[in-house]
């Protein structure tokens, strides 16, 4: 350990940046180099490691925490961020996020901007706060656990997403198979135990949320907070397929479906049993079938987040940039000559003799 000018202890271990080089809708061969330069521009120097098909970032993060690395930054999408978070759970190492994914739900839930320069400013000027994780059996999660239809559909959704990048036929085929599964899926009997209650229901699925957003920007629990020590339990009892679709269309607009059988509870833990066993996913990862016990783990993870002052500065900068873009567009339109009329105007200076 070293000390700074104020006499406080400072770790001699440099920060680590874990990069998923294939995050986002488009691959960028210069992603690592550009991120390194962006960090240097703001005075941050870090060891850089990339994820691989065999290393999703969790092992790299766990090793860094074991080495007492003060800050582990991750540049990637929600899946990569979640893997790194699992490696840092219950340690003193702080997670820093540079969003590089398609949806960036975790960043949105934490008010971390998707602009790379602004996200790095959060790392240099933000504050360190503790946030909750969830645990489903032995699997840590940041966003949501789904039991039932959604968990069965997730593998199809992943194949559709990969197919859009690599093979449209694969995407189309899996979209069709997902629709068939949706239409054939039936209501199942479940038993929920939480806070001394025992609830019997028939439903298509149950969600347990730690964060307000997940998936394709779904906000099933728009009021959920990642630092309240609670999970948001959501289900519709005896829903039709139309009820289910309406619920998710509403969630895509960050709205709650006005339905008399839509139930939402806050709890620190819930046990889910079903007849027969149903698939379970946690943050999109298949983790087996019911029964499953899901619990909140309060203050399990340190994360670097923006201060209120930074959020105000970012909002002002975004407004100014939007206004400048509008003015530039208008100026370009005014300055663009009407070439068609000039070509047909014999008096025009550009007309041919």
């Amino acid at each position: 350990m070293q000390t700074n000018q104020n006499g406080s202890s400072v770790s001699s271990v440099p920060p680590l940046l874990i990069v998923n080089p294939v995050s986002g809708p488009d691959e960028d061969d210069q992603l690592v180099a550009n991120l390194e330069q962006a960090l240097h521009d703001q005075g941050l120097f870090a060891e850089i490691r990339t994820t691989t098909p065999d290393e999703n970032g969790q092992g790299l993060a766990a090793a860094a925490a074991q080495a007492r690395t003060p800050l582990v930054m991750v540049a990637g999408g929600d899946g990569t961020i979640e893997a790194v978070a699992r490696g840092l759970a219950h340690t003193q190492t702080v997670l820093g996020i540079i969003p590089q994914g398609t949806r960036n739900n975790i960043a949105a839930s934490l008010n971390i901007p998707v602009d790379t320069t602004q996200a790095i400013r959060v790392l240099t000027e933000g504050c360190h706060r503790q946030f909750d994780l969830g645990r489903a059996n032995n699997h840590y999660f940041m966003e949501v656990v789904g039991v039932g239809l959604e968990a069965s559909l997730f593998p199809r959704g992943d194949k559709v997403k990969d197919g859009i990048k690599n093979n449209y036929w694969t995407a189309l085929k899996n979209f069709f198979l997902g629709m068939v599964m949706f239409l054939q899926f039936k209501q199942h009997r479940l038993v929920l135990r939480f806070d001394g209650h025992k609830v019997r229901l028939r439903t298509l699925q149950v969600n347990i949320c730690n964060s307000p957003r997940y998936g394709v920007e779904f906000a099933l629990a728009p009021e959920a907070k990642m630092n309240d020590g609670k999970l948001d339990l959501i289900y519709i009892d005896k829903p039709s397929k139309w009820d289910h679709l309406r619920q998710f269309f509403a969630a895509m607009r960050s709205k709650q479906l006005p339905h008399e059988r839509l139930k939402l509870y806050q709890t620190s833990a819930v046990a889910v049993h079903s007849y027969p066993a149903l698939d379970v996913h946690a943050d999109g990862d298949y983790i087996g079938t019911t029964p499953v016990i899901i619990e909140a783990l309060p203050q399990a993870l340190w994360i670097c987040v923006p201060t209120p002052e930074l959020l105000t500065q970012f909002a002002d900068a975004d407004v100014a940039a939007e206004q400048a873009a509008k003015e530039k567009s208008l100026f370009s339109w005014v300055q663009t000559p009407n070439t068609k009329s000039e070509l047909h105007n014999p008096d025009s200076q550009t007309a041919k003799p």
Side-chain angles (χ1 to χ4, degrees), residues 4-24:
N4 60 19
Q5 293 180 348
N6 297 322
S8 302
S9 60
V10 177
S11 173
S12 58
V13 181
L16 172 67
L17 172 63
I18 299 173
V19 181
N20 183 345
V22 296
S23 284

Side-chain angles (χ1 to χ4, degrees), residues 25-76:
D26 302 307
E27 294 187 18
D28 181 2
D29 293 338
Q30 298 300 311
L31 177 62
V32 174
N34 291 340
L35 286 170
E36 184 175 25
Q37 185 59 55
L39 290 173
H40 290 178
D41 290 344
Q42 297 197 46
L44 267 177
F45 298 87
E47 178 188 357
I48 299 178
R49 303 287 297 275
T50 58
T51 61
T52 68
D54 297 323
E55 172 50 67
N56 63 3
Q58 181 173 344
L60 295 173
Q66 183 70 25
R68 299 183 183 276
T69 304
L71 173 66
V72 170
M73 301 168 285
V74 54

Side-chain angles (χ1 to χ4, degrees), residues 13-313:
V13 181
L16 172 67
L17 172 63
I18 299 173
V19 181
N20 183 345
V22 296
S23 284
D26 302 307
E27 294 187 18
D28 181 2
D29 293 338
Q30 298 300 311
L31 177 62
V32 174
N34 291 340
L35 286 170
E36 184 175 25
Q37 185 59 55
L39 290 173
H40 290 178
D41 290 344
Q42 297 197 46
L44 267 177
F45 298 87
E47 178 188 357
I48 299 178
R49 303 287 297 275
T50 58
T51 61
T52 68
D54 297 323
E55 172 50 67
N56 63 3
Q58 181 173 344
L60 295 173
Q66 183 70 25
R68 299 183 183 276
T69 304
L71 173 66
V72 170
M73 301 168 285
V74 54
D78 292 321
T80 308
I81 294 168
E82 289 151 2
V84 171
R86 288 193 291 270
L88 300 181
H90 303 300
T91 74
Q92 295 301 304
T93 297
V94 177
L95 172 66
I97 297 173
I98 305 176
Q100 296 289 315
T102 304
R103 300 299 175 184
N104 299 310
N105 289 312
I106 294 172
S109 297
L110 295 169
N111 293 318
I112 295 173
V114 296
D115 178 82
T116 297
T117 299
Q118 292 182 352
I120 295 174
R121 280 193 64 190
V122 173
L123 300 177
T124 59
E125 304 174 43
C127 57
H128 300 168
R129 293 182 179 171
Q130 288 178 288
F131 289 87
D132 307 335
L133 290 174
R135 183 167 59 197
N137 290 344
N138 294 316
H139 188 94
Y140 288 79
F141 67 94
M142 293 187 77
E143 297 177 89
V144 66
V145 166
V147 179
L149 174 60
E150 182 179 84
S152 297
L153 285 175
F154 249 106
R156 295 295 177 193
D158 287 340
K159 290 180 179 179
V160 170
K161 184 171 67 174
D162 292 340
I164 290 173
K165 284 186 177 182
N166 304 309
N167 187 320
Y168 283 110
W169 170 245
T170 298
L172 183 62
K173 180 179 72 173
N174 280 279
F175 176 79
F176 174 76
L177 291 173
M179 289 300 299
V180 171
M181 180 181 292
F182 174 79
L183 294 173
Q184 293 179 343
F185 200 90
K186 304 298 184 182
Q187 293 180 8
H188 288 73
R189 291 181 296 151
L190 287 86
V191 176
L192 310 179
R193 291 183 173 87
F194 60 95
D195 297 341
H197 300 291
K198 181 178 180 180
V199 177
R200 297 180 183 272
L201 66 149
R202 294 186 67 92
T203 192
L204 297 170
Q205 74 176 52
V206 171
N207 289 97
I208 302 94
C209 300
N210 181 52
S211 68
R213 273 179 45 166
Y214 76 100
V216 192
E217 300 180 13
F218 290 139
L220 277 182
E223 301 301 320
K225 294 179 174 58
M226 296 179 68
N227 59 356
D228 62 357
K230 298 289 185 179
L231 300 169
D232 286 50
L233 168 64
I234 304 146
Y235 64 86
I236 301 178
D237 193 12
K238 300 181 181 66
S240 66
K241 294 289 177 63
W242 176 237
D243 290 334
H244 188 75
L245 286 175
R246 287 174 59 216
Q247 181 189 20
F248 276 86
F249 287 144
M252 291 177 71
R253 304 191 308 273
S254 298
K255 304 291 185 181
Q256 279 287 351
L257 177 68
H259 195 295
E260 65 277 8
R261 293 193 301 277
L262 175 66
K263 305 298 182 182
L264 194 155
Y265 301 95
Q266 283 200 319
T267 181
S268 57
V270 57
V272 182
H273 295 255
S274 66
Y275 311 95
L278 291 173
D279 290 333
V280 181
H281 83 83
D283 288 347
D285 293 332
Y286 176 78
I287 62 170
T289 61
T290 53
V292 59
I293 297 175
I294 305 106
E295 56 187 324
L297 303 175
Q299 300 183 348
L301 182 68
W302 286 94
I303 305 178
C304 188
V305 293
T307 61
E309 293 77 15
L310 273 178
L311 289 175
T312 299
Q313 292 175 29

Side-chain angles (χ1 to χ4, degrees), residues 314-330:
F314 294 156
D316 292 344
D318 290 343
V319 170
E322 183 178 354
Q323 183 62 33
K326 288 181 179 178
E327 292 175 355
K328 181 179 179 180
S329 177
L330 178 62

